Amino acid sequence: MKNKEELKSFIAGLLPFATLIEGKQYLEVLVPADKWHEAAQKLKDNNKIPFDYLVSLAAVDFVTKFSVVCHLESTDTHDFIVVRVDIEDHEKPQIETVSDVWVTAEYHEREAFDLFGIRFKHHPDLRRLFLEEGYGFPLRKDFKDEINIIELSN
Amino acid sequence: MSEEVTKNIIVRDDEDYIINMGPQHPSTHGVLRLEVCLNGETVKYVIPHIGYIHRAIEKMSESDTYKQIIHLTDRMDYLSAHMNNEAVCLAVENALEIEVPKRVQYIRVVLDELTRLASHHLWWSAFGMDLGALTAFFYGMRDREKILAIFEESFGSRLLHSFNTPGGLMHDVHPDFQKHTMEFVRYFRKKLPEYKQLLTDNVIFHNRTQGIGKMSRETAIAFGVTGPSGRGSGFACDVRKVAPYGLYKEIDFNEILYDEGDSFARYLVRMDEMEESLNILEQVTDNIPEGDYTAKMKSIVKLPEGEYFQRVETARGELGIYIVSDGKKFPYRIKFRSPNFSNLFVLNTLAKGGLIADLVAISGSLDLVIPDIDR
């Protein structure tokens, strides 16, 4: 396990276009959307700390934008980082797929597409995962369930 | 690293002969539909279709407080209910930097390992039954009942305890909790050799599992297969070792690893893990210190603004809870990285080219719990 400073300087050298934030738990790496695939490839295929295990890929709706957040672990060194990509276009969210880098991303991305409507470009099999076609995207903040209306006041 | 092992390859053809296995097939142990393409009895590809028991727990959690979310996590992997509860509690405790009393940490480990034992019991019985060994089912169920009785005595419920709350436990355990746990440990130590005779040394069982559904370490990592299934392929992914939480830093136990990667290796990992759980229980149960059963908590828990990720080892692999908080009493977004979700999709790679009867052995050895996949 490398210390935080070493990991930070390594990621900074590997991804010069990324913004690094020292998180409370883990190092957070903010990658611009157009460099996402390149960054993913570099994170996985480097020789020093290969982040070969994609723990989780989650989408978040921030009302004005979407974020895709990946939690990555290196099975060699057990370093753990959080990689975040912001998708500014809230109307038609699109981003490059990373399912060719980590195959497990294929299903996490399908889930994100199903629940958030984020399109992953060049995804091999982008279909709804849980819900039927035309249901809408329930985990978006502006989703209104017309059939089972249970309004809970905050 | 060859393409074959780290890619999910499906070649469809108009003349494919498709059989649907499920959603009501006994060997899937839940509502899972497998679209199986057959050539005679040989499997060409398997496509899992899920969503039959999707309850949108992530959406529901966005209008629930953290204490309420705990009750929803029970319903994901209902056989690892205690670990799922603990994951939420740990996330909240770490975010608020709450010191949990030692007594709670000890009791949590005992419950973790008892739950793991109960879960592996049920898997062992059902796996035997899937392959035609009905006796295993009765033996496993008989012994699992004893663990559930311990749970019932202390929490009033057998499966879905919701016994953890942020900061500690709902209430203290039953006065006989330690005594009955140790009685069970001694009882089960004597029963394990019986299990070994019944399935582990059984030639028919060997023929059904050895060399079936081979998964390499690369495949396990690429698909994110964790838990005993991943460790059967030599992927050291035990969160209790990799990112220790609670009392696990101080406990002496081994991570079980096998390199063969077939169904039998996955079986052996779970059998050895049962023994390891008994070792942990022996270390911990008698040493539970006296003290409070919960730390002082406010009645409404609010996490400071930010993001949190908590990893926990359930009976089936790594459960990750990702929380985005905006400082209110409800989480802004919560994502459950459930172990079974990742474990399921490796099925095509493992079953391809094998017989349809082996598909049952493979999906059984992955130990899938369907509500955990759908959430």
Side-chain angles (χ1 to χ4, degrees):
Chain A
M1 181 92 71
K2 299 219 168 19
N3 66 37
K4 272 193 169 176
E5 279 310 308
E6 247 181 282
L7 183 66
K8 200 173 169 183
S9 64
F10 169 72
I11 300 285
L14 191 71
L15 310 171
F17 44 79
T19 321
L20 303 187
I21 307 154
E22 195 80 60
K24 237 186 260 173
Q25 276 179 298
Y26 305 112
L27 180 70
E28 290 170 18
V29 184
L30 187 66
V31 178
D34 53 335
K35 302 261 191 194
W36 169 223
H37 192 270
E38 185 192 334
Q41 199 79 57
K42 275 187 181 168
L43 282 170
K44 192 198 166 196
D45 289 344
N46 71 80
N47 290 326
K48 212 171 152 204
I49 311 176
F51 288 96
D52 47 359
Y53 169 31
L54 176 79
V55 179
S56 135
L57 185 149
V60 190
D61 180 6
F62 284 110
V63 182
T64 52
K65 62 170 187 188
F66 284 102
S67 286
V68 172
V69 185
C70 293
H71 294 84
L72 299 173
E73 198 195 42
S74 166
T75 52
D76 283 356
T77 61
H78 295 303
D79 284 305
F80 198 94
I81 57 167
V82 184
V83 186
R84 167 198 297 279
V85 200
D86 285 345
I87 310 170
E88 299 295 341
D89 185 1
H90 197 272
E91 290 292 305
K92 277 187 178 168
Q94 271 196 12
I95 195 172
E96 199 67 35
T97 178
V98 287
S99 56
D100 53 335
V101 184
W102 301 283
V103 66
T104 179
E106 190 178 325
Y107 308 101
H108 285 100
E109 285 178 352
R110 261 180 79 184
E111 190 189 334
F113 168 66
D114 192 9
L115 304 176
F116 287 90
I118 299 173
R119 292 206 82 84
F120 291 89
K121 285 184 272 182
H122 304 114
H123 189 282
D125 185 24
L126 197 64
R127 290 176 293 123
R128 301 293 296 240
L129 188 62
F130 303 118
L131 306 165
E132 65 264 42
E133 280 311 322
Y135 187 84
F137 305 114
L139 256 71
R140 284 191 182 185
K141 289 289 171 187
D142 55 7
F143 176 78
K144 281 267 182 294
D145 188 350
E146 304 286 340
I147 303 160
N148 311 300
I149 308 165
I150 307 169
E151 289 285 331
L152 294 170
S153 57
N154 284 10
Chain B
M1 205 184 291
S2 73
E3 286 274 285
E4 190 71 19
V5 294
T6 55
K7 285 274 181 296
N8 184 33
I9 302 164
I10 292 168
V11 186
R12 281 175 185 267
D13 186 17
D14 281 347
E15 309 223 323
D16 280 348
Y17 182 75
I18 307 274
I19 284 235
N20 277 311
M21 204 166 136
Q24 300 286 348
H25 194 275
S27 81
T28 56
H29 303 290
V31 274
L32 167 73
R33 178 159 70 93
L34 299 174
E35 181 188 333
V36 188
C37 173
L38 293 176
N39 178 16
E41 271 193 63
T42 313
V43 176
K44 251 177 88 182
Y45 58 76
V46 183
I47 302 177
H49 292 267
I50 60 179
Y52 291 92
I53 191 168
H54 182 64
R55 293 144 295 171
I57 286 180
E58 288 172 10
K59 181 74 179 174
M60 279 198 270
S61 301
E62 286 175 13
S63 51
D64 281 336
T65 63
Y66 293 97
K67 282 186 180 176
Q68 289 171 324
I69 291 170
I70 289 172
H71 300 268
L72 294 175
T73 55
D74 275 350
R75 276 82 183 163
M76 299 195 308
D77 180 354
Y78 50 84
L79 295 174
S80 307
H82 180 78
M83 288 90 134
N84 295 352
N85 297 164
E86 195 182 2
V88 182
C89 295
L90 285 169
V92 173
E93 283 153 13
N94 289 344
L96 297 174
E97 288 165 17
I98 293 165
E99 184 73 35
V100 179
K102 263 278 182 261
R103 180 175 176 82
V104 176
Q105 292 187 12
Y106 273 77
I107 292 176
R108 278 185 183 172
V109 167
V110 174
L111 294 178
D112 268 356
E113 297 310 319
L114 279 177
T115 313
R116 199 183 312 281
L117 273 172
S119 168
H120 284 0
H121 266 110
L122 186 75
W123 159 82
W124 184 80
S125 354
F127 190 42
M129 192 176 65
D130 284 348
L131 299 181
L134 201 61
T135 317
F137 189 74
F138 298 120
Y139 277 42
M141 283 299 188
R142 176 195 65 193
D143 296 339
R144 173 169 172 265
E145 200 57 35
K146 295 199 186 303
I147 302 178
L148 298 187
I150 297 174
F151 289 159
E152 193 178 2
E153 185 182 54
S154 276
F155 331 134
S157 58
R158 288 147 48 86
L159 272 178
L160 312 175
H161 322 138
S162 303
F163 188 54
N164 277 308
T165 61
L169 308 168
M170 282 273 194
H171 50 82
D172 217 335
V173 289
H174 194 272
D176 286 342
F177 178 72
Q178 277 155 285
K179 192 179 126 215
H180 288 167
T181 306
M182 284 317 288
E183 267 172 20
F184 170 77
V185 170
R186 282 190 291 274
Y187 165 83
F188 190 54
R189 277 241 184 263
K190 281 189 229 131
K191 293 293 169 191
L192 260 176
E194 241 174 55
Y195 283 35
K196 194 167 177 297
Q197 270 183 340
L198 204 59
L199 279 189
T200 317
D201 294 341
N202 186 326
V203 182
I204 304 170
F205 184 73
H206 286 179
N207 291 341
R208 289 297 306 275
T209 52
Q210 279 176 348
I212 303 295
K214 277 227 173 219
M215 171 162 66
S216 66
R217 186 172 179 271
E218 282 74 32
T219 313
I221 294 172
F223 280 87
V225 180
T226 50
S229 309
R231 290 195 282 280
S233 301
F235 173 24
C237 55
D238 195 332
V239 183
R240 293 175 294 171
K241 287 279 185 202
V242 174
Y245 51 91
L247 198 71
Y248 281 111
K249 286 173 218 116
E250 299 161 29
I251 297 173
D252 175 36
F253 70 102
N254 297 322
E255 181 175 8
I256 312 293
L257 285 174
Y258 279 83
D259 290 329
E260 289 83 354
D262 55 2
S263 298
F264 192 61
R266 293 191 278 277
Y267 169 89
L268 288 177
V269 170
R270 291 199 181 84
M271 294 312 276
D272 290 4
E273 244 174 41
M274 286 210 226
E275 208 147 315
E276 211 56 51
S277 287
L278 292 177
N279 289 342
I280 296 175
L281 283 175
E282 275 170 355
Q283 279 178 53
V284 174
T285 312
D286 281 339
N287 300 324
I288 298 178
E290 291 297 321
D292 290 335
Y293 60 83
T294 177
K296 271 212 159 38
M297 292 287 293
K298 286 181 186 154
S299 57
I300 291 177
V301 181
K302 285 181 186 169
L303 293 201
E305 218 175 309
E307 296 182 4
Y308 309 93
F309 192 74
Q310 181 63 47
R311 313 164 74 188
V312 159
E313 179 79 15
T314 75
R316 276 161 200 79
E318 173 171 351
L319 173 74
I321 293 198
Y322 170 60
I323 300 175
V324 182
S325 171
D326 56 355
K328 299 212 178 85
K329 61 178 176 177
F330 304 137
Y332 185 77
R333 161 95 168 104
I334 192 159
K335 149 102 183 171
F336 299 104
R337 182 264 185 229
S338 57
N340 291 294
F341 182 81
S342 300
N343 290 7
L344 165 71
F345 290 103
V346 81
L347 202 57
N348 177 48
T349 311
L350 302 190
K352 216 166 27 177
L355 297 175
I356 188 157
D358 293 340
L359 178 60
V360 174
I362 293 165
S363 70
S365 71
L366 287 175
D367 192 12
L368 301 169
V369 166
I370 314 303
D372 195 34
I373 300 169
D374 285 358
R375 284 158 288 143

